[in-house]
Amino acid sequence: MFESDLYDQKHIQHQTSVALTVFAVGRYLDAYLKTFLTSAEQHFMLGLKVTYYVFTDLPEKVPSIELAPNRNVKIMQVEKHSRWQDISMMRMKTISDAIESEIHHHCNYVFCFDVDQEFKGRFGSEALGDSVVLLHAWYYNAPKYKYTYDRNPRSKAFMETGDYYYHAAVFGGLLEKVKNLTDYCFLNIMEDKLNNVEALWHDESHLNKYFWINKPSRLLSPEYCWDQVIMEKRDINVMRLIWAPKDYVGLRP
Ligand SMILES: CC(=O)N[C@H]1[C@@H](OP(=O)(O)OP(=O)(O)OC[C@H]2O[C@@H](n3ccc(=O)[nH]c3=O)[C@H](O)[C@@H]2O)O[C@H](CO)[C@H](O)[C@@H]1O
Ligand SMILES: [Mn+2]
């Protein structure tokens, strides 16, 4: 196990400030946002300055959460795309724009999360790095031929081979690195649209392609986004973030 104090001391000394982006659009807001934010206050980057950027089409419904000093929430209005695939993919453009217009005034690092998750253990400054991505809980132990990269040569996300299979529910890093990643994914998503194709796992497929070409500087273990449905968990010492129950039929547009 790493020495968490050493990481924290370094970042407190450098006055590191972290942005967390999360999207809660449509029915996902009521279903997940409160648990996500309250659990983040218990486990995410404690001791550091944190700004939660909540992107939603329903700003008046964002729950008010009790926050520790040095931490705050900023609500950012976004439109609700009619297809859930676009709600997921267009996050790349929104994050890129927010880094440029807003986040760079306040923060050194940005971490981008799906909302359908709950913090359960320390998710601290050890996770910070220039360019950070997460090993997908379902694939970190799987043989490479099982990785679900996009295999359609017509899509910009097409890959024959790669290093790992990454999960798009958590990624982050220095602002300029994350901006580079989100710009890349958005451009390729739009090019696919012009060609009438959609990558197999949407933004996640493009993210996997990006990190094949632009190697990350830090890999997070599946402890940082674990699915409790998986029975085999010998490698998992601490569940730091877990998947919330899915309800695609009830919650997606
Ligand atoms: C089975 C499936 O679908 N997989 C996709 C989806 O996994 P997930 O099943 O985890 O997708 P999801 O339904 O959690 O959607 C991704 C995120 O978009 C936001 N959201 C989505 C829909 C909505 O109506 N409102 C809303 O706010 C929310 O923050 C959510 O967590 O996302 C991944 C990226 O993480 C990949 O893109 C996958 O292709
Ligand atoms: Mn999700």
Side-chain angles (χ1 to χ4, degrees):
M1 189 71 85
F2 54 87
E3 281 287 342
S4 50
D5 280 354
L6 295 180
Y7 288 97
D8 287 347
Q9 278 161 22
K10 183 181 104 185
H11 284 286
I12 290 168
Q13 246 168 36
H14 286 89
Q15 299 189 312
T16 294
S17 166
V18 184
L20 179 160
T21 70
V22 66
F23 287 69
V25 174
R27 288 190 284 268
Y28 276 55
L29 193 155
D30 271 343
Y32 299 119
L33 185 61
K34 190 164 190 192
T35 304
F36 179 87
L37 289 175
T38 46
S39 66
E41 270 303 278
Q42 285 159 11
H43 301 292
F44 181 74
M45 305 290 164
L46 299 189
L48 298 190
K49 184 169 183 288
V50 170
T51 306
Y52 300 101
Y53 290 90
V54 176
F55 296 90
T56 182
D57 58 326
L58 303 164
E60 66 287 350
K61 289 191 73 186
V62 173
S64 71
I65 303 290
E66 211 179 304
L67 297 165
N70 237 356
R71 300 168 74 100
N72 58 87
V73 173
K74 286 197 180 158
I75 302 170
M76 316 279 278
Q77 178 136 20
V78 289
E79 66 170 303
K80 181 176 176 215
H81 294 282
S82 51
R83 298 170 65 242
W84 66 262
Q85 295 91 336
D86 286 328
I87 296 176
S88 186
M89 291 192 293
M90 292 307 171
R91 290 182 292 175
M92 294 296 184
K93 166 77 172 145
T94 308
I95 293 167
S96 168
D97 289 349
I99 290 173
E100 194 164 312
S101 66
E102 173 72 27
I103 299 175
H104 85 273
H105 294 302
H106 310 286
C107 305
N108 323 106
Y109 291 93
V110 56
F111 254 88
C112 309
F113 285 86
D114 268 19
V115 74
D116 55 338
Q117 358 199 39
E118 179 176 357
F119 292 87
K120 287 283 187 187
R122 178 188 161 96
F123 193 124
S125 60
E126 74 283 358
L128 296 171
D130 291 4
S131 176
V132 184
V133 69
L134 173 88
L135 300 179
H136 195 298
W138 283 92
Y139 297 101
Y140 79 98
N141 249 338
K144 281 195 176 187
Y145 76 89
K146 289 204 172 156
Y147 293 175
T148 59
Y149 298 139
D150 185 89
R151 307 289 185 182
N152 174 2
R154 293 186 55 238
S155 169
K156 294 291 286 180
F158 170 75
M159 296 169 70
E160 274 173 305
T161 179
D163 300 310
Y164 301 100
Y165 190 77
Y166 302 120
H167 191 180
V170 178
F171 58 89
L174 291 172
L175 301 196
E176 61 267 27
K177 298 281 189 193
V178 176
K179 175 130 175 49
N180 205 36
L181 155 71
T182 51
D183 285 345
Y184 173 94
C185 290
F186 178 65
L187 273 177
N188 287 310
I189 287 165
M190 293 316 281
E191 196 161 329
D192 274 4
K193 283 189 184 290
L194 287 176
N195 294 322
N196 263 319
V197 283
E198 199 158 84
L200 179 65
W201 294 111
H202 318 99
D203 39 311
E204 186 166 279
S205 301
H206 294 281
L207 174 134
N208 269 278
K209 179 79 172 268
Y210 176 86
F211 281 113
W212 169 231
I213 300 168
N214 305 275
K215 304 300 185 199
S217 68
R218 177 152 299 180
L219 298 185
L220 296 181
S221 98
E223 288 186 353
Y224 287 81
C225 190
W226 186 248
D227 184 357
Q228 290 181 300
V229 170
I230 303 172
M231 302 296 283
E232 172 52 63
K233 47 176 177 267
R234 263 177 298 182
D235 298 331
I236 306 303
N237 295 310
V238 185
M239 286 184 200
R240 302 172 186 280
L241 178 74
I242 57 165
W243 300 21
K246 305 261 179 205
D247 175 13
Y248 292 145
V249 177
L251 297 178
R252 278 178 173 169

